[in-house]
Amino acid sequence: MKIFFLSILVSVFALTASAQDFIVKNNDDVIRGTIKGTDYFSVYISANDEADVILLAKDVKNFFWNGSSYISKGFANKKNFEYRFVKVIETGAINLYSFGGGTLMPVKKEKNVRFRPSIGIGTGTGGLGGTGMGGGISIGGGRNTGPEPPIGALAVRYFIEKPGTGPLQEIPIKAITEDTRKAEVRSILLQKLGDKPALKEKIEANSSLNSKDVAELVREYNEGKK
């Protein structure tokens, strides 16, 4: 896992100087240009600012857009295994990702069909290795005719991952105003970060635990603060 993220950082360092946006495909080919948007199922780029190209998440390792890195992760969808992009918020001993949101640029389409994926959260207990998920989350709503340009923003959802301790897990930050959701977010953070007493104390004392708070707590954990 550390080697995987190191390769992403090396790619970002080496390529950002020569192009604002770029995509790294599974075969390590690099496409430079201007990324016009993503629906988190595909990414839409004007390659070399000339030819428009749409790539599915299953064909891409990662891409860099608007100063942020996105990686392709494998999700269980019923009996299938599908790939979706997630935005990298924090990486290290604990990884924090988001799915959805962002500024998307719609383009003219031949068919007046709008695609909206459905995301279901289960209670699977399988393990997670590499980009794969051992259970717990499914994202449905398949494409019938291949990739289409992005058409709008999905609601932002947050996921936390502590490699070697179980599957990727959603943190229900969006509904943090509900007391039951606050308790759920606190419980998840204590499971992942509670082995550091100072962070455990911060989590227990925080009554809001919004997305900024969660990102800061994960950052502190990864920096090794006691």
Side-chain angles (χ1 to χ4, degrees), residues 65-85:
W65 177 40
N66 287 341
S68 298
S69 294
Y70 298 74
I71 63 172
S72 179
K73 298 282 290 183
F75 289 82
N77 179 21
K78 296 182 179 180
K79 295 182 179 180
N80 298 321
F81 192 72
E82 301 178 337
Y83 288 88
R84 306 291 179 247
F85 293 117

Side-chain angles (χ1 to χ4, degrees), residues 72-149:
S72 179
K73 298 282 290 183
F75 289 82
N77 179 21
K78 296 182 179 180
K79 295 182 179 180
N80 298 321
F81 192 72
E82 301 178 337
Y83 288 88
R84 306 291 179 247
F85 293 117
V86 290
K87 182 179 180 179
V88 178
I89 301 175
E90 296 292 337
T91 62
I94 292 181
N95 304 317
L96 183 65
Y97 310 112
S98 66
F99 176 93
T103 302
L104 309 182
M105 291 184 61
V107 296
K108 185 177 180 181
K109 296 165 50 179
E110 293 182 1
K111 296 182 179 180
N112 186 23
V113 178
R114 288 177 176 258
F115 171 76
R116 287 291 184 272
S118 59
I119 305 177
I121 308 297
T123 57
T125 58
L128 175 67
T131 60
M133 181 174 306
I137 300 176
S138 64
I139 302 182
R143 300 173 180 275
N144 296 323
T145 58
E148 296 177 347

Side-chain angles (χ1 to χ4, degrees), residues 2 13 34 36 52 75 88 93 108 110 113 116 142 170-171:
K2 291 183 179 179
F13 180 79
T34 299
K36 296 184 176 181
D52 289 347
F75 289 82
V88 178
K108 185 177 180 181
E110 293 182 1
V113 178
R116 287 291 184 272
E170 181 175 13
I171 308 177

Side-chain angles (χ1 to χ4, degrees), residues 20-57:
Q20 180 181 359
D21 301 332
F22 65 84
I23 296 172
V24 180
K25 298 176 65 177
N26 285 341
N27 61 3
D28 292 325
D29 284 351
V30 177
I31 300 177
R32 297 177 177 85
T34 299
I35 291 179
K36 296 184 176 181
T38 178
D39 59 359
Y40 292 83
F41 296 80
S42 60
V43 58
Y44 174 43
I45 186 171
S46 178
N48 297 316
D49 293 327
E50 295 179 359
D52 289 347
V53 178
I54 300 171
L55 297 172
L56 291 173

Side-chain angles (χ1 to χ4, degrees), residues 2 4-15 62 69 91:
K2 291 183 179 179
F4 174 72
F5 282 112
L6 179 61
S7 66
I8 293 177
L9 293 176
V10 170
S11 297
V12 170
F13 180 79
L15 296 172
N62 59 282
S69 294
T91 62

Side-chain angles (χ1 to χ4, degrees), residues 175-190:
I176 199 64
T177 54
E178 302 174 19
D179 289 340
T180 54
R181 292 296 187 181
K182 290 180 182 179
E184 187 176 351
V185 170
R186 184 174 289 108
S187 176
I188 292 171
L189 293 178
L190 287 173

